[in-house]
């Protein structure tokens, strides 16, 4: 018997979990770190704080009686937010703050990639262009706007690859992140050097990981200094992890055909796998061999979802976190047909189906009689409409959506759960009392150390507990109009949002107060 250690670097902090080889959770510990927002649309974090938070969480967890009794740590795996880009020197020390996944500063560079789709078929796997969130556009932005730091950088990597390096001392990249976030050709097993050169980024290849390996592959063992720092054996295997939301497919149970995993927390990532590639500009992908090497992965999502609700409740209304239950209960009592509000959830742009970094949030229909409960409910309805727009885009792309499984921060908000299935007009499952990213990392660690034959067997062993969410027929009828209004409002406000964002960017560049 031994311990499988799971590492989840999320937006708000590092959570470390421990599991036995039969899938029993031994607990988890979370340590927060900071996010800074130096300009509108920018978001940054300090990689040294990631590591410090991981070490703090790991040491606290491994000191518990349950972990001590379970035996030594035999394997570790990590998952992180995707498109969170670390820029480091030869020793792995940060040269600047990491550019967070939600940062949209590289929207111009992302739009530029679309002009190369005809000559570089690898872009077909990302719907014809890269997104502003991804590593390649962010590296382009860095080269064009901070050339000195770009030139000094020995590595420009995804957060998960930074963690693997800190654990092992080796620059081993996750095939999932490479395929999904910087156009790696997993079929030919090579970087798309021709595309990089066409974009003026030929030198980026030397700054990326030395080796790309599939999820679940052993990347090495824990470096001696790290083993001493967190109190584990240096013989523990480090398995290649991936993107926090994407690996969740491994923790939804064994049946993956027709499965859609909806990880709804600060943002929402909506993930599925298909047997054959499908073409759509409304989704990201299909990515070949991103998770299971026999499948194509399709990705969609919302840049802001739970963060919109946090902004409304804790930020604007000033409700403390321990008082949110009362606000949610009050919002649940609001008649969705009577409050007259319509809202948009694009606070940091739209991930899919619009793929537009310049969209922004909005609320219309406010009156002097509008209550905070009505406003909070309207925010939830906007987020739910955003989720439906992604699920609908999957269906239009030919992706089977037979089984919807929700997980993440949505579990702590019953109104968010109910409004979402009401807007969708269909049943869904929600994972209870579990963190799917940590559970999926246990599957990956078990695979990397040979405790299970492959990821599929691990998915069967580590299946979670779920319950069913059932929509209200009455509210589903009301929300047909709400969703139609959401789509119409998006189309009407898009030109204004673009002008406003562009004008603000120009003023910032010129040093004019906004």
């Amino acid at each position: 018997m031994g311990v499988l250690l799971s590492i989840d670097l999320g937006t708000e902090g590092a959570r470390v979990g421990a599991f036995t080889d039969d899938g029993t959770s031994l607990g988890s510990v979370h340590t927060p770190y900071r996010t800074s927002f130096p300009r509108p649309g920018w978001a940054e974090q300090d990689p040294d704080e990631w590591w410090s938070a991981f070490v703090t969480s790991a040491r606290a967890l491994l000191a518990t009686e349950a972990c001590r009794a379970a035996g030594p740590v035999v394997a570790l795996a990590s998952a992180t937010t995707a498109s969170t880009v670390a820029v480091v020197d030869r020793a792995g020390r940060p040269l600047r703050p990491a550019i967070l996944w939600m940062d949209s500063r590289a929207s111009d560079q992302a739009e530029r990639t679309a002009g190369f789709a005809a000559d570089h078929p690898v872009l077909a796997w990302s719907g014809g262009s890269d997104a502003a969130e991804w590593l390649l556009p962010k590296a382009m932005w860095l080269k064009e706007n901070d050339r000195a730091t770009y030139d000094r950088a020995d590595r420009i990597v995804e957060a998960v690859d930074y963690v693997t390096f800190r654990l092992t001392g080796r620059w081993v990249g996750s095939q999932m992140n490479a395929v999904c976030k910087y156009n790696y050709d997993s079929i030919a097993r090579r970087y798309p050097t021709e595309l990089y050169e066409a974009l003026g980024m030929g030198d980026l290849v030397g700054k990326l990981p030395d080796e790309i390996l599939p999820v679940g592959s052993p990347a090495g063992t824990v470096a001696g200094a790290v083993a001493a720092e967190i109190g584990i054996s240096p013989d523990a295997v480090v398995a290649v992890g991936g993107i926090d939301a994407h690996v969740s497919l491994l923790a939804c149970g064994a049946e993956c055909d027709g499965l859609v995993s909806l990880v709804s927390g600060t943002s929402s990532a909506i993930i599925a796998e298909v047997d054959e590639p499908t073409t759509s500009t409304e989704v990201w992908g299909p990515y070949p061999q991103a998770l299971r090497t026999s499948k194509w992965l399709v990705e969609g999502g919302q840049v802001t979802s739970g963060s919109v609700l946090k902004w409304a409740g804790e930020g604007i209304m000033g409700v403390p976190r321990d008082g949110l239950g009362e606000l949610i209960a009050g919002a649940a009592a609001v008649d969705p047909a009577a409050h007259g509000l319509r809202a948009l959830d694009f606070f940091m742009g739209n991930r899919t189906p619009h793929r537009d970094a310049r969209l922004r949030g909005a609320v219309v229909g406010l009156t002097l009689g509008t209550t905070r409960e009505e406003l909070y409910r309207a925010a939830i309805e906007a987020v739910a409409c955003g989720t439906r727009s992604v699920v609908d885009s999957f269906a239009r792309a030919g992706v089977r959506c037979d089984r919807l499984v929700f997980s993440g921060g949505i579990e702590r908000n019953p109104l968010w759960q109910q409004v979402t299935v009401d807007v969708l007009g269909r049943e869904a499952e929600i994972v209870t009392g579990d963190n799917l990213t940590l559970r999926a990392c246990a599957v990956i660690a078990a695979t990397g150390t040979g405790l299970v034959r492959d990821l599929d067997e691990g998915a069967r062993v580590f299946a979670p507990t779920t319950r069913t969410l059932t929509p209200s027929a009455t509210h589903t009828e009301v929300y047909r109009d709400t969703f139609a209004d959401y789509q119409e409002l998006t189309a009407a406000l898009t030109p204004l949002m673009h002008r406003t964002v562009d004008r603000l960017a120009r003023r910032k560049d010129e040093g004019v107060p906004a």
Side-chain angles (χ1 to χ4, degrees):
M1 187 175 179
V3 173
L4 302 170
L5 202 64
S6 298
I7 306 162
D8 175 15
L9 290 193
T11 302
E12 296 187 354
R15 185 174 296 279
V16 178
F19 294 82
T20 62
D21 56 10
D22 65 355
T24 300
S25 173
L26 300 172
S28 68
V29 174
H30 179 268
T31 302
Y33 39 68
R34 299 169 298 169
T35 300
S36 62
F37 301 92
R39 286 177 55 169
W42 291 25
E44 299 179 338
Q45 292 178 341
D46 182 353
D48 284 336
E49 290 190 17
W50 299 341
W51 185 256
S52 177
F54 155 64
V55 171
T56 299
S57 294
R59 290 177 65 89
L61 178 61
L62 294 174
T64 62
E65 183 176 344
C67 286
R68 290 200 306 269
V73 173
V74 296
L76 306 83
S78 62
T80 70
T81 57
S83 304
T84 292
V85 179
V87 182
V88 301
D89 65 13
R90 187 176 297 276
R93 294 184 294 261
L95 295 175
R96 67 172 323 282
I99 305 176
L100 197 59
W101 59 269
M102 67 172 67
D103 189 298
S104 60
R105 74 183 69 182
S107 58
D108 288 344
Q109 288 76 16
E111 290 177 8
R112 206 181 307 158
T113 65
F116 294 85
D119 295 327
H120 299 279
V122 70
L123 284 168
W125 298 339
S126 58
S129 68
D130 283 3
E133 296 177 39
W134 294 359
L135 183 148
L136 177 56
K138 285 174 175 172
M140 292 168 63
W141 182 92
L142 186 65
K143 188 172 186 177
E144 294 167 11
N145 293 274
D146 187 359
R147 183 61 183 264
T149 300
Y150 180 88
D151 288 342
R152 288 177 58 206
D154 187 69
R155 302 287 173 170
I156 299 176
V157 295
E158 291 272 326
V160 68
D161 304 328
Y162 171 84
V163 173
T164 299
F165 172 78
R166 291 294 300 263
L167 289 171
T168 66
R170 300 182 63 222
W171 285 113
V172 177
S174 167
Q175 183 163 297
M176 170 177 283
N177 292 67
V179 173
C180 295
K181 301 305 172 187
Y182 49 97
N183 308 105
Y184 178 78
D185 186 340
S186 58
I187 295 177
R189 300 197 60 77
R190 62 187 292 268
Y191 287 116
T193 53
E194 298 83 1
L195 172 63
Y196 290 174
E197 289 169 357
L199 290 166
M201 296 295 293
D203 56 346
L204 179 62
V205 172
K207 299 176 185 292
L208 296 171
D210 296 328
E211 185 178 14
I212 301 296
L213 293 177
V215 172
S217 303
T221 55
V222 176
V226 174
E229 187 176 15
I230 60 177
I232 65 174
S233 167
D235 296 326
V237 172
V238 177
V240 174
I243 302 168
D244 49 6
H246 296 36
V247 299
S248 69
L249 288 169
L250 298 173
C252 291
E255 183 51 60
C256 292
D257 290 338
L259 167 67
V260 179
S261 174
L262 304 97
V263 183
S264 295
T266 303
S267 65
S268 290
I270 301 174
I271 311 296
E273 286 187 300
V274 294
D275 292 322
E276 299 293 336
T278 180
T279 301
S280 171
T281 59
E282 293 186 315
V283 303
W284 288 347
Y287 305 114
Q289 305 177 17
L291 179 56
R292 294 186 293 169
T293 55
S294 61
K295 300 285 186 178
W296 297 72
L297 188 143
V298 177
E299 173 188 4
Q302 298 160 265
V303 182
T304 46
S305 53
S307 52
V308 173
L309 309 185
K310 180 180 179 180
W311 168 85
E314 298 179 49
I316 297 300
M317 299 175 193
V319 178
R321 185 161 294 193
D322 59 6
L324 287 175
E326 181 179 350
L327 175 62
I328 291 169
V334 171
D335 182 355
H339 61 68
L341 300 177
R342 295 291 184 263
L344 300 179
D345 58 318
F346 312 126
F347 280 45
M348 296 287 284
N350 174 264
R351 184 174 290 164
T352 64
H354 303 294
R355 300 164 63 112
D356 189 341
R358 295 184 295 164
L359 293 185
R360 292 293 181 264
V363 183
V364 300
L366 293 166
T367 74
L368 293 178
T370 297
T371 67
R372 68 176 193 171
E373 289 79 12
E374 290 172 337
L375 183 58
Y376 189 78
R377 184 173 188 117
I380 289 181
E381 291 169 354
V383 171
C385 285
T387 300
R388 177 177 166 180
S389 69
V390 178
V391 173
D392 285 356
S393 72
F394 273 32
R396 287 192 295 271
V399 178
R400 286 174 53 192
C401 302
D402 302 334
R403 179 184 175 222
L404 307 183
V405 179
F406 282 92
S407 63
I410 192 173
E411 188 194 0
R412 299 189 294 273
N413 191 321
L415 181 58
W416 185 7
Q417 299 167 26
Q418 188 61 51
V419 170
T420 301
V421 292
D422 289 346
V423 170
L424 289 169
R426 58 178 296 175
E427 288 187 346
E429 298 173 54
I430 187 164
V431 174
T432 57
D434 212 340
N435 179 303
L436 281 200
T437 299
L438 292 179
R439 185 164 288 276
C441 283
V443 172
I444 294 166
T447 303
T449 198
L451 291 175
V452 295
R453 289 190 304 274
D454 53 28
L455 296 174
D456 285 337
E457 181 182 355
R460 288 190 291 272
V461 172
F462 287 79
T465 301
T466 67
R467 61 183 174 84
T468 300
L469 302 173
T470 303
S472 159
T474 301
H475 288 176
T476 293
E477 184 66 28
V478 171
Y479 284 140
R480 287 194 180 95
D481 290 337
T482 302
F483 183 66
D485 292 346
Y486 172 90
Q487 293 177 301
E488 184 176 351
L489 189 60
T490 299
L493 291 185
T494 292
L496 175 60
M497 291 177 181
H498 286 180
R499 289 196 301 273
T500 302
V501 170
D502 292 345
R503 185 181 303 122
L504 182 61
R506 285 195 301 272
R507 289 180 174 178
K508 287 289 185 181
D509 290 340
E510 295 167 358
V512 178

